[in-house]
Amino acid sequence: MTKISRILCLALLASGALSVPAAADQVAREQNIVDLRLGQRVLVDDGSCPAGQIKEVSGAKMLSTGVVRTRKCIPRVGAKR
């Protein structure tokens, strides 16, 4: 292998490792989320979203009273846990 092809190979491996999404936590009820951090996402499987979707609760904004939560239904990926 030439030096340039080694560098390209390493660059591709590094970019692939960075593009893997972080796994979100999953709980059965929103009340089970105790310490939601800013930017954290938690999947809630409480049946409140339409079939094929799951509720995502995320820490959206920091206020003096704590982290403000946002909720939205997103497509379910993978098998139901």
Side-chain angles (χ1 to χ4, degrees):
M1 269 183 152
T2 65
K3 187 174 183 177
I4 293 175
S5 63
R6 284 188 203 151
I7 292 172
L8 287 175
C9 185
L10 288 173
L12 286 173
L13 287 173
S15 67
L18 294 175
S19 66
V20 175
D25 295 329
Q26 184 171 335
V27 295
R29 299 181 317 155
E30 193 172 340
Q31 293 85 351
N32 295 345
I33 305 171
V34 266
D35 294 324
L36 188 67
R37 297 181 305 275
L38 190 62
Q40 181 182 8
R41 296 177 180 183
V42 179
L43 301 177
V44 180
D45 194 6
D46 61 359
S48 62
C49 290
Q53 295 186 344
I54 191 166
K55 186 193 309 182
E56 178 186 73
V57 178
S58 59
K61 188 175 11 173
M62 181 62 107
L63 297 179
S64 59
T65 56
V67 177
V68 176
R69 297 177 177 199
T70 60
R71 296 154 188 87
K72 65 180 177 179
C73 294
I74 62 170
R76 184 185 295 269
V77 179
K80 187 175 180 177
R81 293 191 236 172

